[in-house]
């Protein structure tokens, strides 16, 4: 990656897309990972991202999946919604993207651990966030230390690593085209 940066062919920017100036450079790839569910106008959010993506560029968005899987975690991190597969496809299409591919990811692992995650949240300091505003919850949603959910002892790397989890990565491919994912990932192209 360093060679791309040195050559000026790659740069990484982190900013609020609504505060970028209209002359901000356009990117080949825009990624929004677990953000759109916090934004009131999800279609407007994707349209704005698309404005800063080159024609035929790619937009990737990941969101919490399955409306029927609303949990205490959604209540503590400021989510406004979860997306069924058809919901995410429709938002992306309405925002003007094309060649859309929505996948269920982390199935079945995340599905099996959803209840465990809720239990861990209920038995942590996270429950105090239920009374906070949606903005306060959102601002702290990526800054959580919940043992065995977001933080792990170093020895856990013996189990939680790419090699040990490889069979699960293979199995999840069987579920890509289903609506089972508690995480959905959408990939779309910006119109020329």
């Amino acid at each position: 990656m360093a060679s791309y940066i040195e050559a000026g062919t790659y740069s990484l920017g982190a900013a609020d897309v609504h505060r970028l100036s209209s002359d901000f450079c356009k990117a080949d790839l825009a990624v929004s990972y677990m953000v759109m569910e916090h934004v009131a106008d999800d279609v407007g959010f994707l349209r704005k991202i698309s404005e800063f993506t080159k024609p035929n560029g790619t937009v990737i968005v990941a969101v919490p999946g399955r409306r029927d899987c609303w949990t205490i975690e959604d209540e503590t991190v400021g989510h406004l919604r979860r997306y069924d597969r058809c919901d995410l496809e429709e938002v992306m299409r309405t925002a003007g993207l094309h060649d859309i591919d929505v996948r269920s990811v982390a199935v079945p692992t995340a599905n099996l651990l959803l209840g465990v995650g809720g239990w861990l949240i209920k038995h942590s300091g996270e429950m105090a966030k239920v009374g906070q505003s949606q903005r306060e919850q959102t601002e702290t949603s990526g800054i959580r230390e919940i043992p065995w959910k977001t933080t792990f002892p170093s020895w856990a790397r013996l189990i939680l690593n790419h090699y040990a989890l490889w069979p699960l990565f293979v199995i999840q491919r069987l579920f890509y085209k289903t609506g089972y994912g508690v995480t959905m990932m959408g990939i779309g192209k910006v119109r020329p």
Side-chain angles (χ1 to χ4, degrees):
M1 188 172 311
S3 63
Y4 290 104
I5 294 170
E6 289 171 12
T9 58
Y10 172 87
S11 64
L12 178 65
D16 180 339
V17 72
H18 294 288
R19 293 185 181 164
L20 294 176
S21 65
S22 59
D23 63 344
F24 189 81
C25 68
K26 293 192 178 235
D28 296 305
L29 171 67
V31 179
S32 170
Y33 193 82
M34 299 300 184
V35 174
M36 196 165 74
E37 65 277 9
H38 296 273
V39 179
D41 180 7
D42 51 1
V43 172
F45 176 75
L46 277 184
R47 283 182 177 145
K48 195 69 171 173
I49 288 174
S50 297
E51 284 179 31
F52 296 104
T53 308
K54 292 178 182 175
N56 290 315
T58 302
V59 174
I60 300 174
V61 59
V63 295
R66 294 185 48 191
R67 284 185 262 152
D68 67 326
C69 287
W70 188 268
T71 69
I72 191 65
E73 183 166 17
D74 299 291
E75 299 287 336
T76 61
V77 296
H79 289 173
L80 297 174
R81 70 190 75 76
R82 282 182 162 270
Y83 294 81
D84 286 334
R85 181 187 177 89
C86 60
D87 299 331
L88 185 53
E89 287 172 347
E90 181 60 27
V91 167
M92 294 179 79
R93 190 174 356 277
T94 303
L97 297 170
H98 69 102
D99 290 341
I100 297 165
D101 182 20
V102 174
R103 297 181 177 191
S104 288
V105 295
V107 180
T109 309
N111 301 58
L112 296 170
L113 294 175
L114 189 65
V116 173
W119 186 88
L120 291 169
I121 288 169
K122 286 179 182 175
H123 293 86
S124 73
E126 290 293 301
M127 291 304 293
K129 294 181 179 179
V130 172
Q132 292 179 339
S133 71
Q134 191 265 339
R135 182 179 180 99
E136 290 170 317
Q137 291 172 335
T138 294
E139 288 174 349
T140 61
S141 65
I143 310 166
R144 304 181 312 150
E145 292 193 15
I146 305 167
W148 294 102
K149 178 162 176 55
T150 62
T151 61
F152 299 87
S154 59
W155 62 263
R157 282 182 264 168
L158 297 171
I159 303 165
L160 302 174
N161 64 65
H162 180 75
Y163 302 106
L165 297 175
W166 179 81
L168 298 173
F169 297 144
V170 172
I171 290 169
Q172 84 170 342
R173 293 171 185 259
L174 300 172
F175 296 93
Y176 279 168
K177 295 296 182 182
T178 72
Y180 297 139
V182 293
T183 301
M184 296 285 173
M185 184 167 296
I187 303 165
K189 294 285 189 180
V190 174
R191 296 201 182 275

